[in-house]
Amino acid sequence: RKEVEQDPGPFNVPEGATVAFNCTYSNSASQSFFWYRQDCRKEPKLLMSVYSSGNEDGRFTAQLNRASQYISLLIRDSKLSDSATYLCVVALDNYGQNFVFGPGTRLSVLP
Amino acid sequence: GAVVSQHPSRVICKSGTSVKIECRSLDFQATTMFWYRQFPKKSLMLMATSNEGSKATYEQGVEKDKFLINHASLTLSTLTVTSAHPEDSSFYICSARVDYEQYFGPGTRLTVT
C-alpha cells in the first residue's frame, strides 16, 4: 500500500465548477499535511497547509480527518488558472522534514 | 515567501560525464535542504537530505557515491551526478526547509545522451 494515495484523475471541469480532491495516508503518526500545486514542468508550490480544524483561503478549503487518515481540498468557482496537478503531502514531523508526496491529481479547467 | 534558485535549469550531457546542480536559498539561510527527483507524470521522490556542515542523509536505494551532495554553506547545496547514464535523465528539484514548510527551487531538467 502506498503511503499517500490520491484520486487518480484527471479531472476535467468547466469554469466556475466546484471540484474536490481526496487524499488518504497510511502512517497514523503523520503530523503535518499540505497541498501543493505543480504546473507542467515546474516546481511544486505550496498552496496551503492543512489543519485539524480545517482551513480556508479564498476559493480553497482544506479539511483533515485524522481518525480516517483523510485529507481533502475543495476548489470553488474554478478558474482556468487553477489547471495544474495537485499534490497531497504528508510529513512525519512538524519541522518541515520527511515529506511524502502523493502521486498528484491533474485538474483541467475548461472554458 | 522564501525564494530558492537552481542552476542550471536545463542540462544535456554525454554518458560518463559528471554534472553539478546548484541549489541556493536567496533571501534566507537554510540549514536543511532536500533533493528530489521526478520522472514524467510521477510524483517527487526524496533522494537525500542535505545538512549544512555535515554529511547528507540518503534515502534507501539512492547511491551516495553516484549522487554526491555538498552543503558547504547556509545558502548553497550542490548535487553532483557522477558518471551519468541515460537512466539518470530526470527532473531534479531541491527544496529548503523554512520553519515547518518546504520551498522548492525551479528544478533542473537533466538529459543524458
Side-chain angles (χ1 to χ4, degrees):
Chain A
R1 182 183 172 190
K2 294 180 181 177
E3 291 188 66
V4 180
E5 298 192 66
Q6 293 184 241
D7 290 330
F11 283 42
N12 298 313
V13 302
E15 267 188 292
T18 295
V19 60
F21 299 134
N22 300 315
C23 171
T24 58
Y25 59 96
S26 61
N27 193 331
S28 59
S30 300
Q31 295 293 320
S32 50
F33 310 89
F34 309 89
W35 284 101
Y36 279 77
R37 70 168 278 169
Q38 185 175 27
D39 294 290
C40 189
R41 293 176 172 259
K42 299 287 187 183
E43 76 276 21
K45 293 190 177 179
L46 180 65
L47 182 64
M48 57 199 306
S49 301
V50 187
Y51 305 113
S52 296
S53 56
N55 47 303
E56 186 174 311
D57 182 2
R59 298 181 292 109
F60 300 85
T61 301
Q63 297 277 353
L64 167 65
N65 185 319
R66 285 185 182 268
S68 302
Q69 296 179 199
Y70 168 87
I71 307 159
S72 66
L73 176 68
L74 184 75
I75 305 176
R76 290 182 299 277
D77 187 25
S78 51
K79 313 290 185 189
L80 294 176
S81 57
D82 294 333
S83 298
T85 296
Y86 290 82
L87 303 170
C88 175
V89 181
V90 173
L92 289 176
D93 57 46
N94 289 313
Y95 307 116
Q97 302 188 141
N98 296 306
F99 274 26
V100 179
F101 284 79
T105 301
R106 174 104 187 111
L107 170 66
S108 292
V109 180
L110 308 173
Chain B
V3 179
V4 178
S5 72
Q6 264 184 257
H7 177 81
S9 58
R10 181 183 294 268
V11 58
I12 301 173
C13 70
K14 293 185 177 180
S15 287
T17 61
S18 295
V19 174
K20 180 186 283 189
I21 303 170
E22 295 185 348
C23 177
R24 293 182 185 273
S25 57
L26 295 188
D27 50 359
F28 64 101
Q29 293 182 331
T31 55
T32 305
M33 291 183 171
F34 305 91
W35 287 96
Y36 295 84
R37 67 185 297 181
Q38 185 176 32
F39 291 104
K41 300 191 177 185
K42 299 291 185 182
S43 194
L44 281 74
M45 295 297 294
L46 180 65
M47 299 175 66
T49 300
S50 170
N51 297 299
E52 186 269 335
S54 65
K55 291 183 179 180
T57 303
Y58 290 81
E59 295 299 300
Q60 191 173 11
V62 178
E63 299 175 60
K64 61 181 180 182
D65 294 329
K66 179 167 183 61
F67 298 100
L68 301 178
I69 291 172
N70 185 280
H71 194 154
S73 79
L74 288 170
T75 59
L76 173 64
S77 175
T78 61
L79 168 69
T80 301
V81 183
T82 62
S83 187
H85 290 283
E87 57 265 30
D88 297 325
S89 298
S90 187
F91 191 45
Y92 292 87
I93 310 177
C94 72
S95 71
R97 181 169 67 90
V98 179
D99 295 330
Y100 61 90
E101 295 172 349
Q102 290 185 27
Y103 289 86
F104 288 82
T108 296
R109 191 161 300 281
L110 170 64
T111 303
V112 184
T113 60

